[in-house]
Each structure stands twice: as C-alpha cells, then as structure tokens.
Amino acid sequence: MTTTDSFEAIVAEHQDMVFRMLVRLTGTREHVDDLAQDVFLRLYRALPSFRGEALLTTYLHRIIVNVAQDEWKRRKRDTRETSLSDDVSGWEERLHHPSANAEEQLSTRELQQRVEDELANLSAVERAILVLYHQEERSYQQIAQSLRLPIGTVRTHLHRGRNKLRVALASHERRPTPQQETQTGGRR
C-alpha cells in the first residue's frame, strides 16, 4: 500500500466527521467543501511530522478547529455575515416525507436552526468544546488534547457554553412569534 493509498483511506474514514464538525463549528454549509479540503491538505502536510503520541482523530480535531477559527476570522475581516437562514431556504423540498407530523418536523428543524444560530454566538472555544463533546462524543481528555487546554478549562467552557445556550434558547421561547403578535395586536 502506498502513502497515497493510506492517506485516501484516512480521508474516507474521517470525511463524514470532518464535514459534520465544520458545519457545526462554522454554522453554515457554505464553503464547507473548500474548508474540508483545507483540513485534509493540512493533515497531509502534517502527517510526516505526526509522532503518534495522540490519536490521529485528536490531531484531526485540532486541525478542524483551526480551520473553522480561520473561517470565522475571514468572515469578520470581510465584515459580511453569512445568513444561516439561507441554509433553511428550500426546506419544503428537503422534508423526507410529507406526513401528518410535518408540523413536528418543522418544529424540530426550527429548534435545530435556533441551536445553530445560538452556537454561532458563543466564543470559538465554547463552540468547539460543545461540538466536540455533544456532537462528536469526545471525552474531556480527548477535547483537552485536541484544543491543548487543561481538563478543568474544558469543563468550565463546556459548563459556560451550555448555560449560555440554555439561556439564549429559553429567552427565545419567551418571545412571541410574529404570528402570535399579529393575533394579539402586538399586546402580550
């Protein structure tokens, strides 16, 4: 097996996780193909110096977080915000089955979108830790190694990030929807 074959095997094994994490960390599917390519290019360049002291996935998580942070910096530099609502357009075509519980599916999708929106408002480190812990099911130790942080700091950021997310989602639930405002004439 050549080096190219083994790298292709690494890409095939980890590409779903890379795409999933990039979408979670950047909050959008826009440019995710380019970002994933950047992740694997960085990995390919770094593999000769990889000593195997940590798991390859730990090394890969660090690269993904770095690429996502670079993307956030680029967005700030460009001073244009990518609307997450663009990703919601066309939701009608993406529903798997128009059934009696389509309203539940829509409600679930709206909650997922609110979570994604609120994740984008967290600090980069809180967002990375929440995604690694809850989406990628990584241990405190693995996250600490990936982000080069003490375990206590990982726990603190996870706790703070969860609380910020919980408060933001709860405050969103208390706000009346435009439909409710119309029905009550803007009164509560």
Side-chain angles (χ1 to χ4, degrees):
M1 183 183 282
T2 67
T3 305
T4 304
D5 290 339
S6 62
F7 184 71
E8 286 177 9
I10 291 171
V11 171
E13 181 179 348
H14 298 289
Q15 67 185 356
D16 289 343
M17 181 265 300
V18 169
F19 278 89
R20 191 173 53 246
M21 279 189 65
L22 285 170
V23 169
R24 293 282 183 202
L25 291 173
T26 62
T28 182
R29 296 185 193 290
E30 185 179 351
H31 306 297
V32 77
D33 291 336
D34 294 334
L35 296 174
Q37 184 176 2
D38 190 21
V39 166
F40 286 117
L41 183 60
R42 289 184 190 190
L43 178 63
Y44 185 78
R45 289 179 181 156
L47 274 178
S49 62
F50 179 66
R51 296 185 305 262
E53 294 172 358
L55 295 173
L56 181 64
T57 53
T58 302
Y59 200 60
L60 191 54
H61 287 148
R62 180 73 239 163
I63 294 171
I64 295 166
V65 169
N66 287 342
V67 167
Q69 288 175 341
D70 290 348
E71 173 66 7
W72 278 99
K73 289 175 190 172
R74 183 194 64 78
R75 288 181 191 175
K76 285 182 182 177
R77 247 190 345 259
D78 293 347
T79 63
R80 64 181 166 92
E81 293 184 18
T82 303
S83 173
L84 293 176
S85 63
D86 291 344
D87 198 25
V88 177
S89 64
W91 62 268
E92 307 88 359
E93 293 98 38
R94 290 197 307 259
L95 289 177
H96 296 290
H97 186 342
S99 64
N101 65 1
E103 188 174 322
E104 288 177 6
Q105 290 177 0
L106 179 59
S107 177
T108 299
R109 179 66 183 140
E110 287 172 349
L111 176 60
Q112 288 171 339
Q113 189 61 49
R114 281 195 306 273
V115 170
E116 295 294 334
D117 291 347
E118 294 305 331
L119 270 174
N121 292 330
L122 296 177
S123 71
V125 70
E126 289 169 340
R127 184 174 46 251
I129 290 171
L130 280 169
V131 168
L132 286 168
Y133 187 80
H134 289 289
Q135 301 298 320
E136 298 304 317
E137 300 178 352
R138 299 297 165 197
S139 69
Y140 292 130
Q141 182 67 36
Q142 290 170 324
I143 295 169
Q145 287 177 339
S146 293
L147 301 181
R148 297 185 190 124
L149 295 171
I151 289 179
T153 303
V154 168
R155 288 182 175 147
T156 299
H157 284 298
L158 182 62
H159 178 73
R160 286 181 186 161
R162 282 176 177 158
N163 283 343
K164 287 178 183 178
L165 199 56
R166 184 180 304 114
V167 167
L169 291 173
S171 72
H172 183 79
E173 290 298 319
R174 287 191 294 269
R175 285 187 238 141
T177 65
Q179 183 182 15
Q180 289 170 332
E181 285 182 348
T182 303
Q183 291 171 349
T184 62
R187 294 173 278 130
R188 282 192 153 180

Short mmCIF file of all heavy atoms in Angstrom, two decimals, residues 21 35 41 61 64 80 83 91 93 95 97 102 117 140 142 144-145 171 174 183 187:
data_model
loop_
_atom_site.label_atom_id
_atom_site.label_comp_id
_atom_site.label_asym_id
_atom_site.label_seq_id
_atom_site.Cartn_x
_atom_site.Cartn_y
_atom_site.Cartn_z
N MET A 21 -18.35 18.33 11.63
CA MET A 21 -17.78 19.29 12.58
C MET A 21 -17.65 20.67 11.96
O MET A 21 -17.89 21.68 12.62
CB MET A 21 -16.41 18.81 13.07
CG MET A 21 -16.49 17.79 14.17
SD MET A 21 -14.87 17.44 14.89
CE MET A 21 -14.45 19.01 15.63
N LEU A 35 -13.40 24.15 2.91
CA LEU A 35 -12.83 24.03 4.26
C LEU A 35 -12.36 22.61 4.53
O LEU A 35 -11.29 22.40 5.11
CB LEU A 35 -13.84 24.48 5.31
CG LEU A 35 -14.27 25.95 5.24
CD1 LEU A 35 -15.38 26.22 6.24
CD2 LEU A 35 -13.09 26.87 5.49
N LEU A 41 -5.75 18.86 3.43
CA LEU A 41 -4.46 19.33 2.91
C LEU A 41 -3.50 19.58 4.07
O LEU A 41 -2.33 19.18 4.02
CB LEU A 41 -4.65 20.60 2.07
CG LEU A 41 -3.40 21.16 1.42
CD1 LEU A 41 -2.79 20.14 0.47
CD2 LEU A 41 -3.73 22.45 0.68
N HIS A 61 -8.98 16.71 14.92
CA HIS A 61 -9.89 17.66 15.58
C HIS A 61 -9.23 19.02 15.73
O HIS A 61 -9.86 20.06 15.51
CB HIS A 61 -10.32 17.16 16.96
CG HIS A 61 -11.27 16.02 16.90
ND1 HIS A 61 -11.30 15.04 17.87
CD2 HIS A 61 -12.24 15.69 16.02
CE1 HIS A 61 -12.23 14.15 17.56
NE2 HIS A 61 -12.81 14.54 16.44
N ILE A 64 -9.28 20.75 12.41
CA ILE A 64 -10.65 21.19 12.08
C ILE A 64 -10.98 22.47 12.84
O ILE A 64 -11.51 23.43 12.27
CB ILE A 64 -11.68 20.09 12.39
CG1 ILE A 64 -11.46 18.89 11.49
CG2 ILE A 64 -13.10 20.62 12.25
CD1 ILE A 64 -12.20 17.63 11.94
N ARG A 80 -18.84 40.78 6.37
CA ARG A 80 -20.15 40.38 5.86
C ARG A 80 -20.53 39.11 6.59
O ARG A 80 -19.76 38.19 6.72
CB ARG A 80 -20.14 40.15 4.35
CG ARG A 80 -19.24 39.02 3.91
CD ARG A 80 -19.28 38.87 2.40
NE ARG A 80 -18.20 38.03 1.99
CZ ARG A 80 -18.28 36.73 1.84
NH1 ARG A 80 -19.41 36.11 2.02
NH2 ARG A 80 -17.25 36.01 1.47
N SER A 83 -25.75 34.62 6.31
CA SER A 83 -27.03 34.36 6.96
C SER A 83 -27.29 32.86 7.02
O SER A 83 -27.25 32.16 6.02
CB SER A 83 -28.16 35.04 6.19
OG SER A 83 -29.39 34.67 6.72
N TRP A 91 -36.56 24.37 2.49
CA TRP A 91 -36.77 23.29 3.46
C TRP A 91 -37.91 22.38 3.03
O TRP A 91 -37.92 21.21 3.36
CB TRP A 91 -37.02 23.83 4.87
CG TRP A 91 -38.24 24.71 4.99
CD1 TRP A 91 -38.28 26.05 4.86
CD2 TRP A 91 -39.57 24.28 5.23
NE1 TRP A 91 -39.56 26.50 5.01
CE2 TRP A 91 -40.38 25.44 5.24
CE3 TRP A 91 -40.18 23.04 5.44
CZ2 TRP A 91 -41.75 25.38 5.45
CZ3 TRP A 91 -41.54 23.00 5.66
CH2 TRP A 91 -42.31 24.17 5.66
N GLU A 93 -38.55 21.14 0.18
CA GLU A 93 -38.08 20.04 -0.68
C GLU A 93 -37.25 19.02 0.10
O GLU A 93 -37.10 17.89 -0.33
CB GLU A 93 -37.23 20.58 -1.84
CG GLU A 93 -38.00 21.40 -2.83
CD GLU A 93 -37.85 22.90 -2.56
OE1 GLU A 93 -36.75 23.33 -2.18
OE2 GLU A 93 -38.84 23.61 -2.73
N LEU A 95 -37.81 17.96 3.27
CA LEU A 95 -38.55 17.11 4.20
C LEU A 95 -38.66 15.72 3.58
O LEU A 95 -38.99 15.57 2.42
CB LEU A 95 -39.95 17.67 4.48
CG LEU A 95 -40.00 18.93 5.32
CD1 LEU A 95 -41.44 19.41 5.46
CD2 LEU A 95 -39.40 18.69 6.69
N HIS A 97 -40.67 13.09 4.19
CA HIS A 97 -41.96 12.50 3.87
C HIS A 97 -43.05 13.45 4.37
O HIS A 97 -43.16 13.70 5.56
CB HIS A 97 -42.10 11.16 4.58
CG HIS A 97 -43.33 10.39 4.22
ND1 HIS A 97 -44.43 10.95 3.63
CD2 HIS A 97 -43.64 9.09 4.36
CE1 HIS A 97 -45.35 10.04 3.44
NE2 HIS A 97 -44.89 8.90 3.88
N ALA A 102 -45.75 16.53 9.84
CA ALA A 102 -44.88 17.52 9.19
C ALA A 102 -44.67 18.73 10.09
O ALA A 102 -43.60 19.33 10.09
CB ALA A 102 -45.46 17.94 7.85
N ASP A 117 -27.92 28.85 15.35
CA ASP A 117 -27.77 30.31 15.45
C ASP A 117 -27.10 30.69 16.77
O ASP A 117 -26.20 31.53 16.79
CB ASP A 117 -29.13 31.01 15.35
CG ASP A 117 -29.75 30.92 13.97
OD1 ASP A 117 -29.05 30.54 13.01
OD2 ASP A 117 -30.96 31.21 13.85
N TYR A 140 -13.54 14.45 27.91
CA TYR A 140 -12.85 15.66 28.36
C TYR A 140 -11.37 15.58 27.99
O TYR A 140 -10.78 16.55 27.52
CB TYR A 140 -12.97 15.84 29.87
CG TYR A 140 -14.35 16.15 30.39
CD1 TYR A 140 -14.90 15.41 31.43
CD2 TYR A 140 -15.10 17.18 29.85
CE1 TYR A 140 -16.15 15.70 31.92
CE2 TYR A 140 -16.37 17.47 30.34
CZ TYR A 140 -16.89 16.73 31.37
OH TYR A 140 -18.13 17.02 31.85
N GLN A 142 -9.88 13.85 25.56
CA GLN A 142 -9.66 14.00 24.13
C GLN A 142 -9.81 15.46 23.70
O GLN A 142 -9.04 15.95 22.88
CB GLN A 142 -10.64 13.12 23.34
CG GLN A 142 -10.35 11.64 23.47
CD GLN A 142 -11.47 10.79 22.89
OE1 GLN A 142 -12.65 11.14 23.00
NE2 GLN A 142 -11.10 9.65 22.31
N ALA A 144 -9.39 18.11 25.62
CA ALA A 144 -8.24 18.83 26.19
C ALA A 144 -7.01 18.66 25.31
O ALA A 144 -6.29 19.63 25.02
CB ALA A 144 -7.97 18.35 27.61
N GLN A 145 -6.77 17.44 24.84
CA GLN A 145 -5.63 17.19 23.96
C GLN A 145 -5.81 17.90 22.63
O GLN A 145 -4.87 18.52 22.12
CB GLN A 145 -5.45 15.69 23.72
CG GLN A 145 -4.90 14.95 24.89
CD GLN A 145 -4.81 13.45 24.63
OE1 GLN A 145 -5.48 12.92 23.77
NE2 GLN A 145 -3.97 12.78 25.40
N SER A 171 -34.78 32.32 26.37
CA SER A 171 -35.26 33.68 26.09
C SER A 171 -35.96 33.72 24.74
O SER A 171 -36.91 34.47 24.56
CB SER A 171 -34.12 34.68 26.13
OG SER A 171 -33.27 34.53 25.01
N ARG A 174 -39.55 32.58 25.17
CA ARG A 174 -40.45 33.53 25.82
C ARG A 174 -40.91 34.63 24.88
O ARG A 174 -41.90 35.27 25.12
CB ARG A 174 -39.75 34.16 27.03
CG ARG A 174 -39.63 33.20 28.20
CD ARG A 174 -39.20 33.91 29.45
NE ARG A 174 -37.85 34.44 29.37
CZ ARG A 174 -36.75 33.80 29.73
NH1 ARG A 174 -36.84 32.58 30.20
NH2 ARG A 174 -35.57 34.36 29.64
N GLN A 183 -51.91 38.06 16.13
CA GLN A 183 -53.18 37.63 16.73
C GLN A 183 -53.57 38.48 17.93
O GLN A 183 -54.73 38.72 18.20
CB GLN A 183 -53.10 36.16 17.16
CG GLN A 183 -53.01 35.22 15.99
CD GLN A 183 -52.70 33.78 16.43
OE1 GLN A 183 -52.36 33.53 17.58
NE2 GLN A 183 -52.81 32.85 15.50
N ARG A 187 -49.93 43.05 21.56
CA ARG A 187 -50.05 43.06 23.01
C ARG A 187 -49.69 41.68 23.56
O ARG A 187 -49.86 40.68 22.91
CB ARG A 187 -51.46 43.41 23.47
CG ARG A 187 -51.85 44.83 23.12
CD ARG A 187 -53.30 45.06 23.44
NE ARG A 187 -54.07 44.53 22.31
CZ ARG A 187 -55.10 43.70 22.42
NH1 ARG A 187 -55.51 43.29 23.58
NH2 ARG A 187 -55.74 43.27 21.36
#
